[in-house]
Amino acid sequence: MHNNENTGQRLHYHKPASEWNEALPIGNGILGAMVFGNPLQERIQLNEDSLWYGGPRDRHNPDALANLPEIRRLIFAGQLKEAEQLASLALTGTPESQRHYQPLGDLFLNLNPGDRSIQISDYERELDLEQAVVRVSYMSMGITYYREVFASYPDQVIIVRLWADQPGMISLTARLGRERWRYLGGIEALGGDTLLMGGATGDGGVTYHAALTCRSEGGSSRTLGEHWIVESADTVTLYLSAATTFRQSDPRAYCLEVGTVAAKREYSELLAGHIIDYRELYSRVSLNLQGDNNTTQQTGDTAQQLAALFQEGKDDLQLITLYFQYGRYLLISSSRPGSLPANLQGIWNDQMLPPWDSKYTININTQMNYWLAESCNLSECHEPLFDLIERMRISGRATAERMYDCRGIAAHHNTDIWADTAPQDSYLPSTYWPLGLAWLSLHLWEHYEFTQDKVFLEKHYATMRDSARFLLDYLVEGPDRQLVTCPSVSPENTYILPNGESGVLCYGSSMDNQIMHALFTACIEAEVLLNEDSQFREELETALGSLMPPQIGKHGRLLEWSEDYEEKEPGHRHISHLFALHPGKQITPQSTPLLANAARSSLLHRLDSGGGHTGWSRAWIINFWARLHDGDEAYANLLALLQHSTLPNLFDNHPPFQIDGNFGAAAGITEMLLQSHAGELHLLPALPKAWSSGSVAGLRARGGLTVSLGWKDGRLLQAELSPTHSGSYRIHCSSPLTVWHKDKQLEWSQVAEDIIEVKLKAGETVLLLPS
Ligand code: FUC
């Protein structure tokens, strides 16, 4: 199997973007841009990931702790309205909201100014996923014009290059702006070839700068007012650098330096360096799908291809593989070592007050952003999340201690650039939930499970431990003597008490029990490996035994709360009580078939009641079905995501645009082909009938494995495993297998029907073949 099966993956259009959701994203983790591709009035909307409004604050409500016992009493007594009123007053952050992300501005290019005779034909616009380059071309008066835009990670600049098939044809004016927002400090023109934009965000926040370093070959250029003007050039190359005081003490000097250094180098060299850097990550995984009912639309227009997918009742598996690789592309573009993690919109936002502040919602959305990181072989792109988690420890300790008098660290359902952990909003269904950091900490463990990197685990274990410590202290005895969280919610659903009263605050939501189960289990396993504190391990083991296990209710569904309450909104977008099925692993069809069946009933109930209506919710559902080994349902929901929740540029649509669905769905496609959460490598666990043949190369599995698979007519043809660590591995496959290293057959033992165990050596690739 080779990594070249996806050659030619690109988003492609025959017209410029007429609005933001049609523009094409580029990014290097820190810098992001949306390229519209208009031939004569180019707009490149710019972002810098650390440009957020306002500075850090201590927002902990000073009255939280004193009122905690009464809030708990009211919840246990079923006086939900009173509990909610008191929580709103005493627990809500002061002030209510964390900080919000902001756009950097725009780069505007006005081409051939003053020439009204221009006719455009043969227009093409593409985002080449193989190279992470946006290209635009068109003809005018017999001349072909070309444009390339990319965001280089090694050189930390966005580069825009324009040329034509004849010399002397490029004339334009360039300017930077922050448009009608008027939040702009100012613009300077420097030295005839540089534009500099800068300002401050306010309220103790960062100051920022962006520099546009302009170069042309042939023709003449100068600055005039806030513009750079070039006439009759052969080529124009623009280098955009940007920074804030979040990372750079002198962003102005930094931007000028970075722009000048880049501009001294050959364009071809910068482009080649960018492609090498990007492909090192991107080309690790390839996916090829074939089906009997497959037709790839030949329109060459991705938006039309998306629309046509549902008109003829045929599959377009090329679009599915494109969507999968686009998810990987978006993570590489919005989350690289040294950047902030991908926020609700990745890095791409054009609004001064974006939806949900374009920050980090940590009761599902931020976690979903990273579900693909390990399995899709982009482990390095997970790092920015770890950095943020570690920064959350400081505020997280204050949250645990001052709001709840607990050891350890805690966060609620949001965080921001400053790693704020105090409650966000005063929105009852989500605000009063202190398990955000516990869930995030599981990402540290997941990274270890996939990489087996013990040094990483040693470094980050304290964060897992402190998240668990908080929960050990936060637990209180519930009515059935079980240990329960309180106050809490089941994000973000509402229940109805037998007396008709409805509310959201509760004790012992199922999700809380499941997150604790996952975290305590992970900490115990980490303790076994690191042997740090046997007393703490015992404490965890005791607590684990006192947690409420998943319960099945009178309708045969998994309980969402500690009692079998009715739900106010049965089709709710959050499906929090299925955490144990995914991303957790407490419920699997093999180890807990009854619970898996109940999870299935819960899922069907959600879907029958109108569930899956937001992009991210639909993406989670794909993962649930994959974990239930139902490939056809997983695929049907993937199609529904493309049909109802996908924008012309293939961005996920909540609505509005929110990137979690892109990432969650790419992770879901992976879960359909390979799973490794249940202590075994499961090959093709949820292959839909529509993907009758295909191959995937370069996926990663827990235990430090790289896995490639090929299948035909729904059956495994071969699998290739490359372990980075020696050890015993269990492999689950529906057909009997033989295991080969080069031409030598390896011994294996049968541990259950469909499961074999084989010893593998680090660095030795083995081939599995159906016998
Ligand atoms: C949670 C979700 C919303 C949205 C927001 C960013 O509150 O319930 O659907 O995704 O986060």
Side-chain angles (χ1 to χ4, degrees):
M1 260 169 271
H2 302 288
N3 279 6
N4 61 2
E5 288 167 325
N6 285 329
T7 44
Q9 290 283 24
R10 60 187 191 143
L11 281 69
H12 187 194
Y13 305 85
H14 296 313
K15 54 184 178 52
S18 57
E19 50 135 347
W20 195 87
N21 289 323
E22 293 177 8
L24 294 171
I26 56 164
N28 67 6
I30 290 177
L31 302 173
M34 295 292 283
V35 184
F36 283 63
N38 192 301
L40 304 181
Q41 304 283 333
E42 176 64 284
R43 177 184 175 201
I44 300 179
Q45 188 263 311
L46 304 168
N47 286 102
E48 199 279 352
D49 70 337
S50 64
L51 211 175
W52 293 56
Y53 177 83
R57 288 178 299 196
D58 179 350
R59 297 186 308 106
H60 292 99
N61 190 320
D63 297 317
L65 188 56
N67 288 281
L68 183 63
E70 177 61 3
I71 294 167
R72 284 185 165 147
R73 191 192 67 76
L74 291 167
I75 291 171
F76 284 124
Q79 293 172 258
L80 300 186
K81 290 288 164 277
E82 288 90 334
E84 288 171 359
Q85 202 184 2
L86 187 56
S88 304
L89 300 172
L91 299 183
T92 304
T94 51
E96 267 181 32
S97 190
Q98 299 173 351
R99 299 306 195 177
H100 62 276
Y101 185 48
Q102 290 190 336
L104 171 65
D106 292 282
L107 166 60
F108 295 105
L109 305 180
N110 189 1
L111 283 96
N112 299 64
D115 188 344
R116 292 177 192 284
S117 62
I118 296 170
Q119 301 278 331
I120 304 289
S121 66
D122 300 279
Y123 179 88
E124 302 289 339
R125 176 171 65 106
E126 70 167 20
L127 168 57
D128 178 348
L129 297 189
E130 305 300 320
Q131 302 192 334
V133 177
V134 168
R135 293 195 186 88
V136 173
S137 64
Y138 54 92
M139 278 190 75
S140 176
M141 321 283 274
I143 294 161
T144 308
Y145 291 82
Y146 300 95
R147 197 173 296 170
E148 280 183 343
V149 192
F150 62 91
S152 164
Y153 180 69
D155 291 293
Q156 287 299 320
V157 277
I158 289 174
I159 300 182
V160 185
R161 172 121 167 147
L162 302 100
W163 72 100
D165 63 358
Q166 287 182 32
M169 299 314 300
I170 307 297
S171 298
L172 61 83
T173 66
R175 78 181 169 93
L176 293 169
R178 255 188 140 201
E179 276 308 276
R180 63 198 168 87
W181 301 107
R182 300 184 181 85
Y183 290 116
L184 181 57
I187 294 184
E188 297 168 66
L190 300 174
D193 61 7
T194 302
L195 303 177
L196 191 71
M197 172 172 83
T201 57
D203 202 10
V206 296
T207 62
Y208 64 89
H209 273 93
L212 188 72
T213 310
C214 311
R215 295 286 182 270
S216 57
E217 291 162 277
S220 63
S221 71
R222 67 205 148 104
T223 55
L224 189 60
E226 295 182 343
H227 297 78
W228 181 71
I229 300 178
V230 61
E231 279 161 298
S232 306
D234 303 337
T235 69
V236 164
T237 315
L238 307 171
Y239 308 85
L240 188 286
S241 50
T244 76
T245 42
F246 183 72
R247 284 189 203 90
Q248 302 297 334
S249 55
D250 186 349
R252 185 182 191 276
Y254 166 88
C255 291
L256 290 173
E257 168 74 11
V258 166
T260 314
V261 168
K264 283 195 182 127
R265 311 225 345 251
E266 288 290 324
Y267 176 74
S268 55
E269 203 188 309
L270 292 163
L271 178 62
H274 158 69
I275 293 172
I276 289 169
D277 164 73
Y278 167 75
R279 287 194 63 80
E280 206 286 299
L281 293 164
Y282 176 80
S283 66
R284 292 175 186 175
V285 174
S286 66
L287 173 65
N288 181 276
L289 299 174
Q290 285 151 32
D292 303 330
N293 190 27
N294 183 34
T295 171
T296 294
Q297 298 294 327
Q298 300 301 334
T299 62
D301 183 299
T302 304
Q304 286 173 19
Q305 201 180 348
L306 184 64
L309 184 62
F310 308 98
Q311 283 162 9
E312 293 166 24
K314 290 206 168 182
D315 293 305
D316 183 344
L317 298 180
Q318 191 275 330
L319 189 62
I320 304 291
T321 57
L322 178 69
Y323 188 78
F324 169 76
Q325 291 291 23
Y326 190 48
R328 297 184 65 248
Y329 166 82
L330 291 172
L331 191 68
I332 300 170
S333 307
S334 61
S335 187
R336 296 291 297 269
S339 79
L340 285 161
N343 64 39
L344 284 175
Q345 298 182 192
I347 189 174
W348 300 280
N349 160 52
D350 68 335
Q351 295 178 43
M352 279 295 173
L353 200 53
W356 290 286
D357 305 329
S358 195
K359 54 182 184 314
Y360 304 102
T361 307
I362 55 174
N363 68 2
I364 174 70
N365 315 87
T366 302
Q367 288 88 344
M368 182 178 284
N369 281 2
Y370 287 90
W371 285 350
L372 76 164
E374 301 294 335
S375 61
C376 288
N377 214 336
L378 297 174
S379 199
E380 297 91 329
C381 298
H382 215 163
E383 281 177 30
L385 183 65
F386 308 146
D387 295 343
L388 178 64
I389 293 171
E390 293 303 331
R391 289 197 295 118
M392 289 169 78
R393 289 177 62 90
I394 297 169
S395 172
R397 193 167 297 287
T399 298
E401 194 178 308
R402 287 168 39 203
M403 289 187 68
Y404 304 111
D405 190 24
C406 294
R407 295 173 297 171
I409 55 177
H412 296 84
H413 92 297
N414 269 233
T415 190
D416 66 4
I417 183 172
W418 305 114
D420 191 333
T421 56
Q424 162 70 28
D425 303 324
S426 53
Y427 179 59
L428 288 164
S430 60
T431 299
Y432 312 103
W433 181 77
L435 276 85
L437 195 44
W439 187 350
L440 280 177
S441 299
L442 283 166
H443 280 251
L444 301 168
W445 178 243
E446 183 171 285
H447 181 76
Y448 169 74
E449 282 194 297
F450 275 85
T451 60
Q452 300 291 301
D453 181 348
K454 218 167 152 186
V455 176
F456 174 89
L457 186 63
E458 273 160 10
K459 184 167 162 216
H460 294 280
Y461 171 63
T463 301
M464 292 168 59
R465 182 198 62 209
D466 290 351
S467 294
R469 260 198 188 132
F470 165 75
L471 289 164
L472 288 174
D473 286 5
Y474 189 66
L475 286 167
V476 288
E477 202 166 274
D480 301 324
R481 304 191 67 77
Q482 232 98 15
L483 291 178
V484 291
T485 52
C486 184
S488 191
V489 296
S490 179
E492 302 183 7
N493 208 355
T494 304
Y495 63 99
I496 307 172
L497 285 175
N499 66 10
E501 188 165 346
S502 67
V504 290
L505 286 194
C506 68
Y507 61 86
S509 68
S510 299
M511 178 184 243
D512 289 3
N513 292 324
Q514 296 169 11
I515 290 176
M516 284 188 287
H517 185 278
L519 183 61
F520 293 177
T521 309
C523 285
I524 291 167
E525 285 180 43
E527 276 293 343
V528 171
L529 286 163
L530 305 177
N531 208 8
E532 287 208 345
D533 183 346
S534 60
Q535 209 182 326
F536 178 60
R537 190 169 128 199
E538 282 162 26
E539 216 184 321
L540 288 170
E541 278 162 355
T542 311
L544 207 49
S546 311
L547 294 178
M548 189 104 77
Q551 312 278 318
I552 301 174
K554 56 180 179 285
H555 302 294
R557 305 193 287 263
L558 273 189
L559 289 195
E560 180 157 358
W561 294 274
S562 53
E563 307 284 337
D564 202 351
Y565 303 130
E566 294 301 321
E567 302 161 71
K568 201 158 180 191
E569 211 185 309
H572 200 274
R573 62 194 180 285
H574 284 261
I575 315 177
S576 304
H577 51 316
L578 266 57
F579 176 95
L581 179 66
H582 183 278
K585 47 194 174 182
Q586 199 180 349
I587 297 179
T588 70
Q590 307 97 300
S591 65
T592 58
L594 292 179
L595 292 173
N597 214 21
R600 186 187 172 85
S601 299
S602 295
L603 199 51
L604 286 172
H605 185 59
R606 273 287 201 275
L607 285 165
D608 290 347
S609 313
H613 48 280
T614 67
W616 65 259
S617 180
R618 187 70 77 180
W620 201 357
I621 290 167
I622 298 168
N623 286 276
F624 288 136
W625 282 122
R627 285 279 174 98
L628 289 168
H629 303 162
D630 195 327
D632 288 339
E633 284 292 351
Y635 184 49
N637 281 280
L638 176 59
L639 290 177
L641 181 75
L642 287 165
Q643 184 163 24
H644 302 296
S645 309
T646 302
L647 293 160
N649 58 6
L650 299 191
F651 266 172
D652 171 62
N653 195 12
H654 180 290
F657 159 55
Q658 197 169 287
I659 206 159
D660 39 19
N662 286 104
F663 294 142
I669 291 169
T670 313
E671 288 283 326
M672 291 162 74
L673 301 171
L674 182 72
Q675 293 176 14
S676 61
H677 61 286
E680 64 196 31
L681 194 65
H682 197 156
L683 310 177
L684 303 176
L687 191 66
K689 284 187 209 75
W691 302 355
S692 52
S693 301
S695 60
V696 64
L699 295 181
R700 294 279 294 165
R702 290 169 186 81
L705 291 171
T706 305
V707 181
S708 299
L709 303 169
W711 67 95
K712 195 168 187 299
D713 301 326
R715 298 184 74 79
L716 187 80
L717 272 185
Q718 83 224 55
E720 219 177 73
L721 313 184
S722 306
T724 49
H725 288 74
S726 303
S728 287
Y729 291 85
R730 290 188 171 195
I731 299 153
H732 186 148
C733 179
S734 51
S735 32
L737 296 170
T738 53
V739 186
W740 300 81
H741 174 56
K742 298 193 172 141
D743 51 4
K744 186 165 155 262
Q745 196 167 347
L746 302 187
E747 304 264 307
W748 49 263
S749 51
Q750 191 89 35
V751 289
E753 201 194 348
D754 297 346
I755 302 180
I756 61 168
E757 189 168 290
V758 59
K759 282 201 170 53
L760 301 181
K761 282 203 198 115
E764 283 190 5
T765 297
V766 298
L767 194 63
L768 309 181
L769 295 172
S771 50

